[in-house]
Amino acid sequence: MFKLPSPLSSLVHALVRARRGWLLLATGLSVVLLGLSGLPSLLHARLEAAATGWLGRGVHVAQWRFNPLTLQLEARGLRVDGPVDGAPALLTVDRVAVNASLSSLWHRAPVLDALEIDSPWLAVSRTGEGRYDVDDLLARWLTPTATSPGPAPRYAVHNVRIRDGRLRFDDRPARQVHELTAFELGLPRLATLAADDVRLRVEPRLHFLLDGSAVDGAGGLLPFAQEREGELTLAWHGVSLAKWRPYWPASWPVRPVGGRVDLDLTMGFRSPVSGTPDLSLRGRLALDDVALETGAGRPLLSWQSLRLQLQEVQPLARQVHLASLDWRGARWTLGRDAQGRGPLGDSASPAKPASPANPPADASPGPDWSVRIDRVALDDHTLRWEDRSLRGAPVLLARQVRLTAQDLRWPWAATPLRLEGQGELAEEGGREPAGTWSVEGALGQGGSTLSARLQDWPLSQARAYLADTGARGWSGRLGRSEEHTSELPVTAT
């Protein structure tokens, strides 16, 4: 019988044993993969039952998929039932995909490499004053539990992406429907687990349309560093004030009739380990074609455009610095009624909150607010004054008002406020030519210089206000120039 040499025999036996080992390993992996590939069918009923029990609403998934090679679990056709049988769904999602990470094993906490949510559509309705069709869900979530909450759960989710989201809010009492569409959100990381790199920079992205107006947000943050810092930008264009009029507080004496808002803001923040947090705002605010009315529904103020350029606003430090304020085409409707009340005299005033009888001992009022505006420009303003408390008083107009001011500060600073203005004074429907006025000068702590001129002002416009003097038949035109120089500082308290 042929017999292999001893070294060769040992090699053959080793190869056979190795082959058997690889076969056993392959067989084991096949069994594991087959088991994992059947995971959706095993967990299908359990996951839906658990979600239904937690929400108190029916939760359904049309299809589950699992890829054992990438550890991706995917749910398609997710649906959460409405408040009653036959009602439209509260939430539908085309696709939810999670990619599990093997690092969950050594972190002993769930770690996801990716979370993707495609086409989530949420529908919420306000059914009455303070009532919504999701009140049952809020009651379940907000009901306190007997057990203590314990420590926050440990987790890490990377590469969060939401695409094509939509929210429909049906405000039935106000007969308004608001829609948030084209919602896009990208977050590199959400976690309570410490990051491997504490200097990891997170750059979230946000985009959606709210009732047709575009909202875009972006940022760069260091949320895991010992000193947290970052910067966020927000752009919101074409916001209609008329759309939000039903939600304006009824106690406020003024409410918007129409207008459009454009906003471009950059918010920077820093939270040092020791010291005061810092928050700053920069950017631009524009309000165009705005109209305001009193609580009684009478016109009060309208304008064509208002532009605010924020140089730096620090709310925590109570400091406001505006680079410019440009206000054009304003129309003021002021006056008194027959009882002598002003334009807001018949409007409800908001109730002042009651101050505590015994404020906390450590309560500190903090620093006073300081305001600085480098440049103010008012152009083409018209003020209409109608005084019904005086018999025979004409309707007066201050029109074509232009006023510019530079270095406006509060409290007053050593830098003087420089101002210049002009306009016309006329009677509505009057036959006499309008009078004119102008003013120019500087005001400051070091003193003030001011010159004013009034030219060709018809005295007939003041006849009703001068009736108590006993003089009758006021007529003619007044012209006067004044110049005032003072070394006394201008102060304010």
Side-chain angles (χ1 to χ4, degrees), residues 114-292:
L115 169 61
E116 298 180 357
I117 303 175
D118 294 339
S119 301
W121 284 26
L122 179 65
V124 179
S125 297
R126 185 169 81 105
T127 58
E129 190 65 33
R131 298 195 306 274
Y132 301 84
D133 64 354
V134 291
D135 286 341
D136 58 322
L137 303 181
L138 298 177
R140 294 176 69 92
W141 296 337
L142 300 179
T143 301
T145 58
T147 60
S148 59
R154 300 168 65 247
Y155 69 92
V157 182
H158 302 86
N159 303 314
V160 179
R161 186 70 184 270
I162 301 177
R163 307 181 185 92
D164 190 28
R166 179 178 177 182
L167 167 65
R168 187 178 189 273
F169 180 70
D170 184 4
D171 191 344
R172 296 171 187 172
R175 297 181 180 180
Q176 292 267 8
V177 175
H178 300 281
E179 287 194 329
L180 185 153
T181 57
F183 182 86
E184 302 279 341
L185 177 64
L187 295 173
R189 176 180 166 92
L190 286 174
T192 56
L193 291 174
D196 297 332
D197 179 11
V198 296
R199 298 297 296 178
L200 175 67
R201 182 176 176 83
V202 176
E203 297 182 350
R205 294 288 184 270
L206 173 68
H207 170 79
F208 59 87
L209 300 176
L210 181 57
D211 292 332
S213 60
V215 179
D216 289 281
L221 316 173
L222 295 175
F224 309 108
Q226 196 171 14
E227 282 197 0
R228 295 179 174 87
E229 60 182 70
E231 188 174 85
L232 298 172
T233 62
L234 175 66
W236 192 1
H237 297 161
V239 184
S240 172
L241 292 179
K243 191 78 173 179
W244 300 95
R245 181 177 176 178
Y247 312 103
W248 202 258
S251 60
W252 288 14
V254 177
R255 61 191 179 199
V257 178
R260 186 176 67 256
V261 180
D262 292 309
L263 179 69
D264 290 281
L265 282 183
T266 298
M267 181 183 71
F269 66 90
R270 188 173 66 89
S271 180
V273 177
S274 60
T276 305
D278 178 66
L279 175 65
S280 64
L281 299 173
R282 306 185 308 275
R284 179 187 71 94
L285 173 64
L287 296 97
D288 296 329
D289 301 323
V290 174
L292 305 177

Side-chain angles (χ1 to χ4, degrees), residues 30-42:
S30 300
V31 172
V32 172
L33 294 179
L34 287 173
L36 290 176
S37 63
L39 183 64
S41 60
L42 295 175

Side-chain angles (χ1 to χ4, degrees), residues 96-111:
V96 178
V98 296
N99 284 43
S101 172
L102 291 176
S103 62
S104 302
L105 300 177
W106 54 81
H107 282 297
R108 288 181 294 178
V111 178

